Amino acid sequence: MPVLNRIAAFAEEMKGWRRHLHANPELEFDCHQTAAFIVARLREMGVDEIHEGIATSGVVAIINGQGEGPTIGLRADMDALPIEEMTGAEHASVVPGRMHACGHDGHVTMALGAAKYLAETRNFAGRVAIMFQPAEEEGGGGGVMVEEGVMDRFGIARVFGIHNAPNVPLGHFQTTPGPLMASVDTAWVTVTGKGGHGATPHECVDPVVAVVAMVQAVQTIIPRNVYAMDEAVISVTQIHAGTASNIIPEVATFCATIRAFKPEVRALLKRRVLEIVEGHAQAFNVRAEVEYDWGYPATVNHPEEADFAAAVAAEISGEAAVNARANREMGSEDFSYMLEARPGAYLFMGIGPGAGLHHPAYDFNDEAAPVGASFLARLVERAQPSG
């Protein structure tokens, strides 16, 4: 793939970084060993400032360019997933029940590669702030970093990030102006009735039939309450009830993931879920409690920054390898909080064929790391030319 010559020269070093990170995954905010590895590499590179302990284990590296100018932010997430690895690779996870199944090891490696290049060349004005963020998968570390004032503290004017995309051709980029990824909320519903013998249902208040009715009704929200052109998803992903064939349980539960792009649609979905659960609870004479987790907002690219990032990607991989008007996705990202705080854009970068994200056989393609690092480095140089 077309990459910057200097970055191509240390591609093997980047592979070593990535495989070390892959073998030593950490979860959520507890990314302290990962952060220590990152800090050690940054010190070897001679970056100008290293700030640790942001959002518990996050790191921000500052690299000064030539002359005055704004600060551009680049973000890489660090955390892994609670999945037992099945790759069989020599660099497989050494921690049982944890693995980098989403490629955040590759994201960190690409950001470190860009940092090494930028610290050597300094062919840009102003500063770059490279943010290594914990807890993307669970916990909203991006939001915590914003809440802790990372944008104001470092004077970040614009912010960019990329995510790897398996089964997209290696080095191909995809993005779009406006909403790129959906918001994500979760409803946990607990229905309590009166348990008893399955042979005497008239003496019981059956929570199972209430849950079944609620689930069926919840699935009507999108086709009957949401305008057909406003994409949204409600998927009931768990139902739990009962312990034996002849017992009507006291309690039944279900869980749903709820996704949308527009804030008003997101609010509508919440309102209708609550109304349906409450109404059915009255109809079936049960008690229902809803724990509604208001999760990550939609990831919304700023149009100017999205077009700019796509143009830089075309410089790296060629115009034919960039889709600047890609389809939106119903997945979610806590980079959304950073895009709410500052103008910026998020992109997907293909890593070639392989197992999908969050699959136990997934492994980041090391050939993609120099491409991603080249994109991030060139993004800084084009956004803030040194004159």
Side-chain angles (χ1 to χ4, degrees), residues 138-161:
E138 186 71 32
V144 175
M145 292 188 86
V146 171
E147 289 172 3
E148 292 186 4
V150 69
M151 297 298 175
D152 293 332
R153 178 179 174 184
F154 300 106
I156 295 171
R158 293 197 284 177
V159 64
F160 295 88

Side-chain angles (χ1 to χ4, degrees), residues 84-108:
E84 191 70 37
E85 182 159 354
M86 292 174 52
T87 64
E90 292 183 1
H91 56 273
S93 171
V94 299
V95 184
R98 299 181 187 178
M99 73 167 290
H100 272 292
C102 201
H104 295 184
D105 51 342
H107 299 171
V108 170

Side-chain angles (χ1 to χ4, degrees), residues 182-185 187 218-227 230-235 256-277 290 292 294 330:
S183 61
V184 57
D185 303 312
V218 162
Q219 296 295 347
T220 70
I221 293 173
I222 290 174
R224 287 299 173 264
N225 297 125
V226 178
Y227 175 50
D230 290 336
E231 300 101 322
V233 164
I234 297 178
S235 291
T257 185
I258 302 161
R259 298 165 186 262
F261 293 105
K262 293 182 177 180
E264 60 270 27
V265 175
R266 186 184 188 191
L268 168 67
L269 297 178
K270 179 179 181 179
R271 176 173 61 81
R272 289 297 294 136
V273 167
L274 297 178
E275 289 173 348
I276 284 172
V277 170
V290 182
Y292 204 98
W294 197 252
M330 299 309 298

Side-chain angles (χ1 to χ4, degrees), residues 278-367:
E278 180 183 359
H280 279 70
Q282 292 179 0
F284 285 88
N285 195 30
V286 295
R287 186 174 76 254
E289 298 177 356
V290 182
E291 180 183 342
Y292 204 98
D293 177 29
W294 197 252
Y296 300 169
T299 302
V300 182
N301 282 338
H302 296 250
E304 182 178 342
E305 281 70 23
D307 288 343
F308 167 71
V312 174
E315 183 178 336
I316 297 297
S317 295
E319 290 187 7
V322 179
N323 183 353
R325 295 296 184 272
N327 290 333
R328 303 189 286 194
E329 298 199 4
M330 299 309 298
S332 63
E333 242 293 344
D334 75 344
F335 188 70
S336 55
Y337 294 108
M338 296 189 178
L339 289 176
E340 287 186 337
R342 291 292 187 274
Y346 197 64
L347 301 88
F348 294 101
M349 186 192 74
I351 62 169
L357 301 173
H358 292 216
H359 190 281
Y362 168 88
D363 194 12
F364 183 85
N365 181 359
D366 287 309
E367 293 183 22

Side-chain angles (χ1 to χ4, degrees), residues 7 21 24 45 55 64 99 106 110 138 153 174 230 289 341:
I7 291 177
L21 292 166
N24 297 276
M45 297 170 192
N64 296 324
M99 73 167 290
M110 292 187 289
E138 186 71 32
R153 178 179 174 184
Q174 299 175 349
D230 290 336
E289 298 177 356

Side-chain angles (χ1 to χ4, degrees), residues 1-45:
M1 294 300 300
V3 299
L4 301 180
N5 289 337
R6 180 64 188 117
I7 291 177
F10 51 78
E12 282 300 310
E13 185 178 13
M14 293 174 66
K15 180 189 292 187
W17 298 341
R18 207 281 302 180
R19 296 190 173 189
H20 169 86
L21 292 166
H22 188 90
N24 297 276
E26 296 179 290
L27 302 180
E28 299 181 18
F29 290 97
D30 187 19
C31 291
H32 298 286
Q33 292 183 18
T34 302
F37 178 85
I38 291 168
V39 168
R41 303 291 80 73
L42 292 170
R43 286 182 177 145
E44 293 169 356
M45 297 170 192

